Amino acid sequence: MKDLEIQKQNYLSQFKKRAYQRNIWKKSDDTMLDEPTEECGIMGMYSYHDIDTFSLSQFGLFALQHRGQEACGISVLKDGKIHSYKDEGLVLDVFKSIENPETYMGNSVIGHTRYTTAGDKKKYNYQPFFAKNEYDQIILSIAHNGNLTNARELKRELEQEGVVFRATSDSEVILRLIQKNLDLGLRGAIKATMERIEGAYSVVGMTRNKFFAFRDFNGIRPLVLGAIDEQTFVAASETCALDAMGAQYVRDILPGEVVFTTENDGLQSYMVKDDCVNRICAFEYIYFARPDTTLENINVHEIRERSGEKIWDQAPVEADLVIGVPDSGVPAAIGFSKASGIPFRPVLIKNRYIGRSFIIPTQEMRERIVNLKLNPIISEIKDKRVVIIDDSIVRGTTSKRLVKILKDAGVKEIHFRSVSPPIIAPCFLGIDTPVKDDLISANMSKEELRNYLGVDSLEFLSMDNLKAILGSSEHCFGCFTEKYPVENTDGLQDYVDQ
């Protein structure tokens, strides 16, 4: 046991050292969250008549705020001209800072909520990106969710041809490739671009007379299509954005598909590549997407509830109470409770206003910050045998501190259940996860992790059960298996972390 404790301390010491070096552990806040971070959210709409694009884009982006909180922006087509605005901050704050809303009321709009997965956090990386002509007029604008795996080589190639880049994000590579090929027409330019770029990408965009959206050949990042009326179309990362904009869900945009508007025939589509296999990210269902979202005709809340039922079948336990870690662990806890008959209680209270780091001078005070985010109702759990349901365990730090909070509250037994398999590999395709050395399940056995957390039992949802819940073995399971649906991931982490 002593050797194991030394191993744990060495692991944590090296973990903090590496994290400080990469600036992902904030020195003013020693409570880095034990969870991966959202990617980005995109939306776009086009109408054959003028609509309130200012308000509708605000509604859509607000619904996608969970996918990115660093910055947001919009590009609007109004009277044949594209106007763009983007800034740091949450959606409502950015829209409040727009002094001339009427400029952004046209017939088409694209928007983006940003979380950094590639490129630094400077303002020049905020989206949408746009390209101008020699008259300083915007002729093309795009918003992108995902990561390209061959962005560096494409950027070098384009720079050698004289293309000037103004940002460090891989998303600009997509913009410049489309711009470069516009002499082929918009359809040809998008096709030529998709045939060159590799990785994960869902994109919405506009020219001065057209709207378009497309999705990578594996469909790794989500993109759905909706309609407000017969002349108004919407594309977005999730159906919750369609709901917020008053649009009806039509279908998911297919892997390898391009949808675009025409002058007279409404919305059209074509496939750049046939026989694509849908490999949407499994973690969208486990954690990222909002529970009221439907992806690939599957409701996210139902998947999470079923995962709780499955992990009860897989690892039953005698207990008095089931609790879910807010927010994504709650539906799974409800499912566990239904299957087991053990009562569910929402006894973990989440503070939803803890988005910014505290400047805390002492370690003793820093240790208490986790109580500001999650705090239990002690009277509900004292002297009880408790099952904790969480969506995943990434670094283990917050899970360990949560266990301590419950023990301090007088919990008799703690049984931890993760409704995802162990995360053993980083994501290169649009999600901000640590490098492998910092993923605790890649460095500890399940028994070692159980001891580290200090729980009475620990279980992860099996890969077989996850595939059964999703109804497919074709999803992207890269973070669980270290096998990705795209090639050329070697060394990509250096690019993602820059």
Side-chain angles (χ1 to χ4, degrees):
M1 287 297 294
K2 185 176 181 181
D3 290 342
L4 180 60
E5 192 62 35
I6 293 172
Q7 178 187 342
K8 294 176 196 171
Q9 294 305 317
N10 288 340
Y11 166 78
L12 287 175
S13 176
Q14 291 301 312
F15 166 54
K16 290 185 179 183
K17 180 180 178 181
R18 289 189 298 270
Y20 274 126
Q21 289 170 344
R22 289 198 308 278
N23 196 30
I24 62 174
W25 188 299
K26 297 177 183 177
K27 296 181 182 180
S28 61
D29 181 355
D30 206 24
T31 60
M32 188 168 61
L33 300 181
D34 179 22
E35 55 194 29
T37 311
E38 291 87 344
E39 331 90 275
C40 299
I42 60 173
M43 58 73 56
M45 67 184 306
Y46 184 94
S47 181
Y48 286 89
H49 52 76
D50 287 343
I51 51 176
D52 186 354
T53 49
F54 178 84
S55 297
L56 289 173
S57 60
Q58 184 177 185
F59 299 161
L61 291 173
F62 184 73
L64 297 173
Q65 185 75 87
H66 61 288
R67 298 184 73 90
Q69 299 88 44
E70 287 181 6
C72 85
I74 55 173
S75 288
V76 174
L77 179 63
K78 179 182 175 70
D79 299 327
K81 295 182 179 179
I82 298 175
H83 307 269
S84 193
Y85 187 93
K86 46 191 175 178
D87 204 353
E88 180 182 11
L90 300 176
V91 171
L92 296 184
D93 294 329
V94 171
F95 274 80
K96 283 179 183 178
S97 69
I98 297 177
E99 296 180 353
N100 49 338
E102 63 281 353
T103 302
Y104 301 95
M105 295 183 184
N107 69 297
S108 185
V109 60
I110 62 172
H112 187 271
T113 60
R114 173 174 172 77
Y115 182 82
T116 303
T117 56
D120 58 41
K121 300 182 181 183
K122 301 293 186 181
K123 188 170 184 177
Y124 49 64
N125 280 327
Y126 298 168
Q127 296 192 42
F129 283 126
F130 52 79
K132 293 183 176 182
N133 61 15
E134 63 270 28
Y135 304 107
D136 202 36
Q137 298 168 328
I138 300 175
I139 59 170
L140 172 69
S141 184
I142 69 160
H144 164 229
N145 170 215
N147 272 137
L148 302 187
T149 58
N150 63 339
R152 279 188 169 180
E153 61 187 78
L154 289 175
K155 183 175 181 179
R156 282 195 297 265
E157 177 185 311
L158 289 168
E159 286 177 330
Q160 289 171 359
E161 296 174 2
V163 175
V164 176
F165 283 79
R166 304 185 183 280
T168 61
S169 169
D170 60 339
S171 305
E172 190 180 6
V173 173
I174 302 173
L175 175 81
R176 299 304 172 192
L177 279 171
I178 297 175
Q179 180 185 14
K180 172 192 171 185
N181 290 291
L182 279 177
D183 58 338
L184 301 174
L186 180 62
R187 177 169 176 162
I190 294 173
K191 182 175 184 294
T193 297
M194 291 178 69
E195 290 173 341
R196 294 299 312 280
I197 58 179
E198 299 171 3
Y201 53 89
S202 288
V203 176
V204 292
M206 63 169 63
T207 64
R208 289 187 290 183
N209 59 4
K210 287 185 174 65
F211 167 81
F212 58 87
F214 58 88
R215 196 173 173 201
D216 71 75
F217 299 135
N218 292 296
I220 297 169
R221 301 267 67 86
L223 192 61
V224 297
L225 184 65
I228 294 178
D229 55 45
E230 292 183 355
Q231 292 188 313
T232 307
F233 309 100
V234 183
S237 295
E238 298 183 30
T239 58
C240 62
L242 305 184
D243 297 337
M245 299 169 72
Q248 295 295 314
Y249 167 65
V250 175
R251 62 178 177 85
D252 291 71
I253 293 174
L254 300 174
E257 183 183 18
V258 181
V259 299
F260 63 100
T261 57
T262 63
E263 281 189 30
N264 302 313
D265 298 325
L267 199 68
Q268 303 292 307
S269 75
Y270 64 94
M271 299 297 298
V272 172
K273 181 180 178 182
D274 294 324
D275 302 323
C276 294
V277 177
N278 194 329
R279 295 185 171 92
I280 187 171
C281 169
F283 225 78
E284 289 283 352
Y285 295 97
I286 294 168
Y287 177 76
F288 288 118
R290 262 181 34 171
D292 54 336
T293 279
T294 296
L295 298 175
E296 310 296 340
N297 294 308
I298 301 174
N299 178 260
V300 171
H301 176 85
E302 291 178 7
I303 290 292
R304 293 176 183 168
E305 192 168 305
R306 286 178 60 199
S307 70
E309 295 172 358
K310 278 287 187 182
I311 204 164
W312 159 256
D313 293 339
Q314 179 184 319
V317 65
E318 292 186 6
D320 304 308
L321 204 63
V322 181
I323 61 177
V325 179
D327 289 308
S328 49
V330 172
I334 293 171
F336 190 97
S337 175
K338 285 182 178 179
S340 66
I342 302 170
F344 163 76
R345 293 287 187 274
V347 301
L348 285 178
I349 307 304
K350 181 177 181 179
N351 188 325
R352 302 181 186 279
Y353 306 98
I354 195 170
R356 298 187 181 275
S357 299
F358 288 81
I359 307 301
I360 306 295
T362 67
Q363 177 65 23
E364 179 186 357
M365 292 296 105
R366 285 197 292 270
E367 290 289 342
R368 296 187 184 184
I369 291 178
V370 72
N371 296 74
L372 297 181
K373 185 188 179 189
L374 289 173
N375 204 46
I377 301 174
I378 295 176
S379 61
E380 289 280 338
I381 59 176
K382 185 176 175 59
D383 298 323
K384 299 287 179 63
R385 299 169 299 172
V386 170
V387 181
I388 306 175
I389 309 290
D390 204 355
D391 53 75
S392 59
I393 301 175
V394 182
R395 301 175 178 95
T397 51
T398 298
S399 299
K400 183 177 177 66
R401 288 171 184 165
L402 176 58
V403 168
K404 183 179 184 302
I405 288 173
L406 295 177
K407 285 185 173 181
D408 289 346
V411 170
K412 186 177 178 180
E413 291 180 13
I414 299 175
H415 303 276
F416 206 112
R417 298 292 182 265
S418 166
V419 288
S420 76
I423 297 175
I424 62 168
C427 177
F428 303 108
L429 301 170
I431 297 173
D432 185 29
T433 53
V435 296
K436 188 171 182 177
D437 286 349
D438 298 336
L439 295 167
I440 200 164
S441 289
N443 295 275
M444 287 186 183
S445 68
K446 186 169 71 174
E447 180 61 18
E448 289 170 342
L449 181 53
R450 185 191 70 79
N451 284 322
Y452 167 74
L453 295 178
V455 295
D456 295 277
S457 71
L458 169 67
E459 192 60 61
F460 294 87
L461 188 70
S462 70
M463 280 297 302
D464 286 343
N465 277 335
L466 177 58
K467 291 175 181 179
I469 292 166
L470 295 174
S472 171
S473 60
E474 300 290 351
H475 289 68
C476 178
F477 299 110
C479 55
F480 310 127
T481 64
E482 210 166 5
K483 297 178 181 178
Y484 307 94
V486 299
E487 299 177 356
N488 192 31
T489 59
D490 291 343
L492 180 65
Q493 188 67 41
D494 293 336
Y495 176 75
V496 173
D497 284 344
Q498 72 172 340

